[in-house]
Amino acid sequence: MNVLITGATGYIGSHTIVSLLENGYEVIGLDNFSNSKGNVLDKLEKITGKKIKFYQGNMLNEDLLDKIFSENKIDFVIDFAAYKSVGDSVSKPIEYYINNVSSVLNLIKVMKKYNIKSLIFSSSATVYGMPSKVPIIETDKVGGTTNPYGTSKLFVEKILDDLYKSDNTWNICLFRYFNPVGAHPSGIIGEMPNGVPANLMPYISMVATGKLPLLQIFGNDYDTIDGTGVRDYIHIMDLADAHVCAIEKLHNKQEFNIYNLGTGKGTSVLELVKTYEKVNKVKINYKIAPRRTGDIASCYASAKKAEKELGWKTKYTIEEMCKDAHNFIVKND
Ligand code: UFG
């Protein structure tokens, strides 16, 4: 089966390609390297021993999409291509809406033309806004997003929902990712943010390796186990495997499905810092800082639906997430 991956060289796209290739799928990749590097392709070949067919370009270029579909027999599409910085999205909302929403509209148009109707869309737990309770289940209220990045994901979810309502021969799966962290255990690929990372795990890794002096922990007065924010960290390889499970279970269906992808377990900032220090035998300098605007106390998934319907279950522990994150940064200094 041939799977088109948009955002192929990005963090989640690249790890998913490893899982797909290892499970016997053929992959066609597309990326414009807006937030990744071309050498990821060589690294994927190094890990899997397989070459992937790759197109460099932008999904806003409908002619390119048309060319890809005309040159390949595609069975399934996984759409990872998007801008993902919460902070940037506040200062560049229109760029975010064009890149994250118009690109999907183009993709749908071309998929329709070639009668390819199977799509996994990478959404985010951010669509739940300020959740009223945890663990979050898929039928909980969405909306109330606090930044254009989150709103762009919400808009695309709605567009795909409308599409399915208009034509139920589509096969659409929305994955709402919680907090993906870690790296491929080889340390060959991982998360390589441009500039100073905004997310906790890459920030911890930079402090651990002396590239940044100090971690600021944003708030220790939340109503959580130790006052620091609680999130559902999920190992990137577990997340990648969910896509393989979804294709296996859903490939000949005509359904609209939504799944949370998380472990179902919350971990606080301090717990993550302590675990990272312990498993990697390093010291993380940190100080308690004021709360970050827009943050919530606790956010974790109920992942029972994905387990029941896709037969998918997370395997990696918090210890392994910290170990693999550190291994990657040490090997890619
Ligand atoms: N944190 C710190 N210091 C830092 C960075 C983060 O204390 O330097 C804390 C945050 O306050 C929060 C936790 O670490 O309590 C996790 O923060 P992240 O920025 O790593 O992740 P978020 O949960 O805020 O957001 C992430 C993605 C979003 C996505 C969301 C989905 O960045 O894109 O998960 O739930 F939408």
Side-chain angles (χ1 to χ4, degrees):
M1 202 180 318
N2 297 322
V3 186
L4 171 65
I5 307 282
T6 75
T9 48
Y11 178 44
I12 305 179
S14 58
H15 289 80
T16 300
I17 288 177
V18 172
S19 286
L20 286 166
L21 292 175
E22 284 174 351
N23 283 280
Y25 291 90
E26 299 290 329
V27 167
I28 298 128
L30 168 65
D31 209 302
N32 62 355
F33 302 134
S34 71
N35 194 25
S36 62
K37 296 203 175 75
N39 69 358
V40 169
L41 294 167
D42 301 328
K43 294 177 174 201
L44 290 174
E45 205 180 321
K46 193 169 163 193
I47 295 172
T48 63
K50 293 181 183 162
K51 234 185 159 55
I52 68 163
K53 189 163 180 188
F54 181 77
Y55 293 83
Q56 182 180 349
N58 197 312
M59 280 170 69
L60 295 173
N61 179 351
E62 207 180 310
D63 291 339
L64 173 64
L65 288 178
D66 200 292
K67 180 175 149 68
I68 296 173
F69 279 84
S70 68
E71 288 180 359
N72 301 279
K73 191 201 150 294
I74 292 165
D75 301 293
F76 224 107
V77 180
I78 310 182
D79 182 22
F80 292 109
Y83 290 157
K84 62 169 186 180
S85 160
V86 170
D88 271 359
S89 77
V90 176
S91 50
K92 298 183 210 149
I94 303 310
E95 283 89 335
Y96 267 69
Y97 288 124
I98 292 174
N99 196 61
N100 292 6
V101 182
S102 301
S103 60
V104 182
L105 292 173
N106 275 349
L107 177 67
I108 294 167
K109 242 196 277 177
V110 178
M111 287 178 71
K112 213 167 160 177
K113 177 174 166 192
Y114 287 87
N115 200 30
I116 312 299
K117 293 187 169 177
S118 293
L119 173 67
I120 296 176
F121 175 68
S122 62
S123 188
S124 163
T126 194
V127 299
Y128 293 112
M130 299 277 174
S132 52
K133 59 148 187 63
V134 281
I136 301 171
I137 58 171
E138 289 82 351
T139 47
D140 283 350
K141 196 165 119 320
V142 295
T145 46
T146 51
N147 56 76
Y149 160 73
T151 309
S152 74
K153 292 291 174 190
L154 193 65
F155 284 166
V156 174
E157 286 204 358
K158 184 68 189 137
I159 288 167
L160 294 174
D161 185 36
D162 287 342
L163 172 67
Y164 183 78
K165 283 182 182 139
S166 74
D167 174 0
N168 61 15
T169 65
W170 278 80
N171 177 18
I172 295 172
C173 173
L174 307 182
F175 273 152
R176 292 178 179 154
Y177 307 142
F178 280 68
N179 292 61
V181 295
H184 188 267
S186 66
I188 296 172
I189 54 169
E191 186 174 15
M192 200 47 114
N194 289 333
V196 176
N199 293 119
L200 181 61
M201 186 68 107
Y203 206 105
I204 291 177
S205 295
M206 301 268 269
V207 174
T209 48
K211 292 190 190 71
L212 288 170
L214 184 78
L215 169 73
Q216 296 193 69
I217 294 184
F218 299 136
N220 67 348
D221 55 353
Y222 286 109
D223 182 17
T224 61
I225 179 172
D226 54 25
T228 65
V230 165
R231 295 290 183 275
D232 190 340
Y233 299 97
I234 170 168
H235 194 290
I236 188 72
M237 290 315 300
D238 274 333
L239 196 78
D241 285 345
H243 298 79
V244 177
C245 291
I247 294 183
E248 275 165 13
K249 287 275 176 200
L250 303 174
H251 78 270
N252 48 16
K253 300 253 168 77
Q254 296 178 337
E255 295 176 357
F256 181 85
N257 288 293
I258 303 177
Y259 298 103
N260 285 340
L261 294 186
T263 61
K265 201 176 146 282
T267 303
S268 77
V269 177
L270 266 178
E271 285 174 326
L272 193 70
V273 168
K274 297 289 165 214
T275 307
Y276 197 105
E277 289 187 321
K278 191 166 142 229
V279 298
N280 296 309
K281 303 189 176 54
V282 289
K283 176 98 195 72
I284 309 296
N285 294 320
Y286 70 82
K287 71 163 195 202
I288 304 298
R291 291 181 178 194
R292 187 171 66 176
T293 313
D295 268 355
I296 48 179
S298 260
C299 177
Y300 57 92
S302 161
K304 289 196 180 121
K305 188 177 175 213
E307 183 179 343
K308 188 164 161 248
E309 296 182 11
L310 302 178
W312 168 81
K313 213 174 160 76
T314 56
K315 300 185 194 90
Y316 290 87
T317 61
I318 283 282
E319 283 76 10
E320 287 163 318
M321 298 179 210
C322 292
K323 191 169 143 278
D324 290 338
H326 193 67
N327 180 41
F328 174 73
I329 192 127
V330 167
K331 286 196 173 142
N332 292 273
D333 228 349

